[in-house]
Amino acid sequence: LFFFFFQAEDGIRDPLWSRGLGDVYKRQVSTQSTWDQYLELVMISEFWILMLTVLTCLCGGIFALYQYIQVRSIRMAKTSKSEKKKIEEDIEEKGERKDLSEVTIALEENDKLVEVGENIYSCAIVYILEEYLFLFGFLMFFGLLIYFLAEKSLSSFWMTGAYLVGAITCMIGDFCGLHISLISNIRTVKMTTKSMESGFKTAMSAGWAIGFSIVSFGVLSLILVIVSFRTAFFKKGISIERYGDLTMAIAGFALGASVVSLFGRVGGGIFNKAADVGVELSSAKYSSDPLKNPGVIADYVGDNVGDVVGGASDMFASFAESVCATMVLAIASPELLESKTGFYLPILIFVGGIIVSLLTVQVASMVTHGDSEDKVERILKNQPFVCVVLMTPLLLALCFFCLPPQMQFIGESFVTTRSQVFACGLFGLWGGYFIGLSSEFFTSHDYYPIQEVAQSCHTGSATDIIYGLALGYMSTIFPVVVIITIIYVSYICAGMYGIGIAACGMFSTIAIILSVTAYCPITDNASGLIKLSKLENASAKADELHAAGKVISAHGRCFSLGGATLVALALFGAFTLRSKVDVVDLLQPIQFSGLIIGAMIPYAFSAQILGSVSNAASALTDEIAKQAQKNTLSFKSCIKECTSASLRGIVCPAIIVAGVPIMAGICFGAEAICGLLAGNIVSGVQIGISFVNSGVAWDNAKKYIEENKLVLNREVRIEEKVKDEGQLKKADKEGETIPIETIRTRITTEWLTGKESPEYQAAVIGDEVGDPMKATSGPAIAVLMKQMCIISLIFGQFFTSVAIFHAQNVND
């Protein structure tokens, strides 16, 4: 670390930063207040910032390792013949024949569960390796584009190198998350059979291991890239131009992570929902024994690669992009660059987030125990809230001890203070939490929107789908109001740099957000595996664990979309700064045309993804039917078929994301890109949030009906529900109605409810329609918005120099 942080001739007490920026900015200490002078004296030195970052990341990694060991220590292995014989002999010695039969059944169930877990793990590895092989070719192709078009000169490799480091870091993090998720599924099943609280602790420990390992590893990788690059760039002195080159090289790290997140979120999402739909379509043939369905393992693999890997890569890319965008925007303020710590504020915010997340875990686990659905749901919901509350004073301290008293940004007439930068981060921090709360209101069956969606199923699937779409569109209002409030306050306080700080503030809690969102697919798989293994005694407990995490899943997806909007806007600002676009004038034909095309892109992108889900589901269904005809059973053949179809489905979305901004920039220059990015952001956030909330609403409405909670206008007519013909005739004659309280007393014997009701059949169709929307195309919009912006930033200067059909070049 010392080798990277300091040059040998400078010594520990004379780091590179002490050379200053020369004539760029001179601090006038005499005009400062006593408080400002005191803050300057106690400002954290660069050395301790780097030490704090490294040590915090190590602490987060150690905590993740501890949680992983806790999960891994739960023994899951087939019972050997010698072990079985010893157990039988011990029981026979005691003369307990009844216990012997029960133990034998338990051992068979354990062996069956272990075998299923091994199949899921091996098939998931087949998927991830094939995806990484496909991704490797795309990374190499895109790396060549960066090297020849975006590097400052052909002799430099900084941006391309950072791009590869970012991609490899994200891939390693995704693989770790997948591994933890896979081993925790069957262990959660085993512990849930003992008690609900044990199952919750296992699933939550796995979630914490995933969240903290990925965030800690990502922050550590990025800080090492920054420090090593800084040492090389500033060997011959410090200047604003060198700062610009440094930040652009670091932006390559974000682009690498973004490319991986495209494959993780889109490819994993396509596989996930294609497997879900394909298995659902063929389930009727294998109702007696689902394990004979060749595609059943693909369904369980899909939850892991779609929700865990996709969510982790998306959040990782958001972290990297928010830090890089804010650092690029920081070069517009000489005061920020002259201060030895202000430049590091974005990454310090994430360091503080790791510290606060560690405290949150302790607080949340001490408050209550997860021995009921309500308590589990309370623990999951409390974690983001506690984290935000604890992060608020730490964010204040970071702003006051790391920033200079006043800052002025190039192109802005106002002066920014520490407190104004803190306000930007504060609005972003709490705004993300409120966006998550709004998704809870629209997707939890505790509130009336979901209850109304469930009631709409009474008249059929058509009204269910119509009402669900309306709910999704309506659910965009509050998040959009929150987002524009954050943007407005941040911009008037600190310009585009303030928006970057707001994005960092919002994503500062991603260790906890990742942890609680990873909990949902783990318990979902555990619940399915319990039904698959026919462990009836644990089925109800597993369903409660999964139901408690369903709303948190929507919370994480909408949070990601809201944060992606701020990150994309910060990257947009960085693009205009580096491309030297002073004014974005939408009355100009090129920029307005770009705006319209940009608004269209999320729809084309979503259409390609939804079509790919359908194609991959058809491919899986055909493979299942082929195996049924041949009377064979090969789980891996289904995995390979679905994987191939899913990876083919990524091609068109990837061309849209990468090809459109590059072609528009080459043809029409940076001005066209400005309109393109603006339209993409404005349109994308609406369609993304509506898709996610509609899909989750249909899913939870189905669950609401399944649990016999449906109420129709506070009463249900007899002729609709009563089976007894005598009562039905009497009802026809007198037109009687029965209050809901009376119905609930007779529900088990007289009424057609739950999975047998026509309302449930209608809800199932809505859920099938909403599945690819909530888990594939909706969350993928976040990747679309960010990646188009980071690509434009990386190639911005190249676009400015080419612009074939730009008006000025045509005239020349």
Side-chain angles (χ1 to χ4, degrees):
L1 292 176
F2 278 93
F3 174 78
F4 282 114
F5 295 163
F6 304 102
Q7 289 190 345
E9 64 268 23
D10 288 333
I12 295 178
R13 294 187 178 276
D14 184 22
L16 288 171
W17 295 86
S18 64
R19 299 175 185 174
L21 289 172
D23 296 330
V24 175
Y25 173 74
K26 293 182 180 179
R27 188 183 300 278
Q28 302 295 329
V29 180
S30 60
T31 62
Q32 297 177 9
S33 66
T34 305
W35 172 245
D36 286 336
Q37 292 181 35
Y38 171 74
L39 285 176
E40 183 171 335
L41 288 173
V42 298
M43 280 177 70
I44 309 170
S45 69
E46 184 204 19
F47 173 76
W48 291 113
I49 285 177
L50 299 173
M51 287 293 101
L52 174 65
T53 303
V54 172
L55 291 175
T56 301
C57 292
L58 290 177
C59 288
I62 291 170
F63 175 77
L65 180 62
Y66 172 76
Q67 297 298 329
Y68 170 75
I69 292 172
Q70 291 286 99
V71 176
R72 186 76 183 187
S73 62
I74 301 171
R75 186 178 179 275
M76 291 299 299
K78 289 184 178 180
T79 310
S80 63
K81 292 181 179 180
S82 59
E83 289 176 331
K84 286 181 180 179
K85 188 175 181 181
K86 185 178 179 181
I87 292 172
E88 290 172 358
E89 289 174 354
D90 291 341
I91 294 175
E92 285 178 355
E93 286 179 3
K94 297 177 182 179
E96 298 174 351
R97 289 284 179 183
K98 184 179 179 181
D99 290 346
L100 177 60
S101 60
E102 292 177 355
V103 169
T104 303
I105 293 172
L107 292 176
E108 290 175 355
E109 291 174 346
N110 176 75
D111 292 347
K112 185 178 181 181
L113 183 62
V114 171
E115 184 179 357
V116 171
E118 289 173 351
N119 284 326
I120 293 173
Y121 192 94
S122 61
C123 289
I125 297 301
V126 169
Y127 168 82
I128 201 71
L129 292 180
E130 193 164 338
E131 182 189 74
Y132 280 0
L133 184 63
F134 191 83
L135 174 59
F136 179 77
F138 190 85
L139 286 172
M140 292 301 103
F141 172 75
F142 217 77
L144 291 174
L145 287 181
I146 296 171
Y147 180 72
F148 286 107
L149 303 181
E151 290 283 10
K152 193 170 183 180
S153 65
L154 292 178
S155 61
S156 63
F157 192 71
W158 299 108
M159 191 183 295
T160 310
Y163 161 78
L164 294 176
V165 171
I168 292 170
T169 304
C170 190
M171 290 167 69
I172 293 173
D174 290 351
F175 189 85
C176 290
L178 177 62
H179 171 73
I180 296 168
S181 176
L182 290 171
I183 68 163
S184 64
N185 291 333
I186 56 174
R187 286 167 171 80
T188 301
V189 172
K190 182 174 181 178
M191 299 310 292
T192 304
T193 57
K194 296 181 178 179
S195 70
M196 184 175 176
E197 185 174 1
S198 298
F200 169 71
K201 286 182 178 179
T202 303
M204 198 67 254
S205 293
W208 286 330
I210 293 170
F212 282 89
S213 62
I214 290 173
V215 176
S216 299
F217 184 51
V219 174
L220 182 62
S221 299
L222 183 54
I223 193 66
L224 292 179
V225 168
I226 293 171
V227 170
S228 57
F229 279 29
R230 185 217 64 187
T231 304
F233 274 86
F234 295 159
K235 273 185 177 180
K236 298 180 180 179
I238 300 176
S239 66
I240 289 182
E241 183 182 359
R242 286 196 179 93
Y243 261 113
D245 295 339
L246 170 65
T247 54
M248 287 303 296
I250 295 169
F253 182 95
L255 178 58
S258 183
V259 170
V260 176
S261 72
L262 173 68
F263 281 76
R265 179 60 93 178
V266 177
I270 292 173
F271 183 97
N272 183 10
K273 290 305 145 188
D276 195 0
V277 173
V279 172
E280 186 71 26
L281 292 174
S282 59
S283 60
K285 300 177 183 177
Y286 303 97
S287 56
S288 59
D289 189 359
L291 271 176
K292 291 183 178 179
N293 186 341
V296 69
I297 298 299
D299 191 13
Y300 292 101
V301 171
D303 288 332
N304 290 284
V305 300
D307 294 333
V308 177
V309 175
S313 59
D314 186 10
M315 292 283 190
F316 183 94
S318 296
F319 142 72
E321 287 159 338
S322 59
V323 171
C324 295
T326 311
M327 285 185 167
V328 172
L329 292 167
I331 65 175
S333 172
E335 295 88 346
L336 263 178
L337 302 184
E338 202 279 339
S339 71
K340 299 178 183 179
T341 54
F343 182 71
Y344 278 106
L345 180 62
I347 203 163
L348 278 175
I349 291 175
F350 286 93
V351 172
I354 295 174
I355 296 171
V356 164
S357 297
L358 289 170
L359 296 174
T360 300
V361 170
Q362 302 305 317
V363 173
S365 58
M366 288 168 58
V367 171
T368 185
H369 300 284
D371 52 3
S372 68
E373 182 179 345
D374 292 339
K375 290 182 179 180
V376 170
E377 188 172 343
R378 199 177 310 135
I379 294 172
L380 294 174
K381 290 179 180 178
N382 283 345
Q383 289 185 57
F385 175 73
V386 172
C387 197
V388 167
V389 170
L390 294 177
M391 186 64 197
T392 301
L394 183 56
L395 182 63
L396 177 66
L398 288 172
C399 290
F400 271 81
F401 287 102
C402 296
L403 294 174
Q406 294 183 337
M407 297 151 280
Q408 187 164 5
F409 294 89
I410 297 172
E412 305 292 349
S413 58
F414 54 84
V415 175
T416 299
T417 63
R418 295 183 180 110
S419 58
Q420 289 174 313
V421 175
F422 166 67
C424 300
L426 184 68
F427 270 76
L429 178 66
W430 282 94
Y433 177 72
F434 286 126
I435 289 173
L437 280 186
S438 72
S439 71
E440 179 185 339
F441 174 74
F442 283 100
T443 58
S444 172
H445 51 59
D446 293 335
Y447 304 101
Y448 74 86
I450 290 297
Q451 296 171 10
E452 290 180 349
V453 174
Q455 289 174 8
S456 69
C457 296
H458 179 59
T459 51
S461 58
T463 49
D464 175 35
I465 292 173
I466 292 169
Y467 209 100
L469 288 172
L471 180 147
Y473 298 148
M474 186 66 67
S475 70
T476 63
I477 296 175
F478 184 79
V480 168
V481 170
V482 172
I483 290 168
I484 62 173
T485 303
I486 296 170
I487 292 171
Y488 178 75
V489 171
S490 300
Y491 189 82
I492 64 172
C493 287
M496 294 303 296
Y497 179 78
I499 295 174
I501 291 295
C504 292
M506 183 177 289
F507 280 110
S508 63
T509 60
I510 59 170
I512 285 297
I513 298 296
L514 260 178
S515 299
V516 295
T517 51
Y519 166 90
C520 186
I522 291 171
T523 52
D524 186 9
N525 264 4
S527 177
L529 288 171
I530 283 175
K531 292 180 175 65
L532 197 66
S533 304
K534 298 179 180 179
L535 301 173
E536 302 298 336
N537 61 324
S539 181
K541 292 182 283 188
D543 287 343
E544 289 181 13
L545 286 174
H546 175 48
K550 267 185 172 294
V551 176
I552 298 297
S553 177
H555 180 125
R557 288 167 181 160
C558 288
F559 171 88
S560 177
L561 283 160
T565 307
L566 296 181
V567 173
L569 189 56
L571 290 168
F572 184 14
F575 165 74
T576 60
L577 177 67
R578 296 297 298 170
S579 303
K580 299 179 181 178
V581 177
D582 298 325
V583 178
V584 179
D585 187 359
L586 296 180
L587 296 178
Q588 296 297 321
I590 287 182
Q591 295 189 17
F592 188 75
S593 300
L595 182 73
I596 295 176
I597 294 173
M600 172 271 297
I601 286 175
Y603 293 91
F605 182 78
S606 298
Q608 291 294 334
I609 292 175
L610 292 173
S612 298
V613 171
S614 178
N615 294 335
S618 299
L620 178 61
T621 306
D622 292 343
E623 176 62 25
I624 293 172
K626 189 185 300 183
Q627 291 194 32
Q629 290 177 354
K630 296 179 179 180
N631 197 23
T632 58
L633 180 63
S634 175
F635 298 128
K636 287 189 178 180
S637 296
C638 288
I639 292 290
K640 290 179 179 179
E641 189 66 34
C642 194
T643 300
S644 299
S646 301
L647 295 178
R648 288 195 300 269
I650 298 178
V651 175
C652 286
I655 291 173
I656 291 173
V657 172
V660 171
I662 290 176
M663 292 304 299
I666 291 174
C667 293
F668 301 104
E671 287 80 5
I673 295 293
C674 290
L676 189 74
L677 299 182
N680 178 46
I681 295 170
V682 170
S683 174
V685 65
Q686 323 285 342
I687 190 174
I689 292 174
S690 65
F691 270 26
V692 167
N693 285 337
S694 288
V696 177
W698 283 317
D699 187 9
N700 285 348
K702 182 191 75 171
K703 196 71 176 176
Y704 184 74
I705 296 171
E706 185 180 337
E707 294 174 354
N708 295 327
K709 295 180 179 179
L710 180 62
V711 179
L712 297 173
N713 299 322
R714 298 183 181 275
E715 58 185 20
V716 180
R717 292 191 59 81
I718 294 177
E719 53 264 41
E720 293 176 340
K721 297 295 178 184
V722 177
K723 292 182 179 180
D724 185 85
E725 291 183 3
Q727 291 187 14
L728 185 60
K729 291 178 181 178
K730 183 179 179 182
D732 287 336
K733 184 178 180 180
E734 300 177 4
E736 293 180 356
T737 59
I738 296 180
I740 190 62
E741 291 78 10
T742 307
I743 290 175
R744 282 175 176 162
T745 61
R746 304 179 185 176
I747 203 165
T748 56
T749 56
E750 297 184 17
W751 311 132
L752 189 64
T753 57
K755 290 186 176 182
E756 298 178 357
S757 66
E759 289 84 6
Y760 181 78
Q761 303 306 319
V764 167
I765 296 174
D767 182 37
E768 291 297 329
V769 172
D771 261 352
M773 293 171 63
K774 74 178 181 186
T776 308
S777 58
I781 295 294
V783 178
L784 170 71
M785 292 191 291
K786 295 178 296 181
Q787 191 162 345
M788 284 188 65
C789 291
I790 189 67
I791 289 174
S792 301
L793 172 61
I794 293 292
F795 294 97
Q797 291 176 314
F798 171 72
F799 297 155
T800 304
S801 63
V802 180
I804 299 172
F805 299 110
H806 192 276
Q808 183 178 351
N809 293 339
V810 171
N811 292 335
D812 292 342

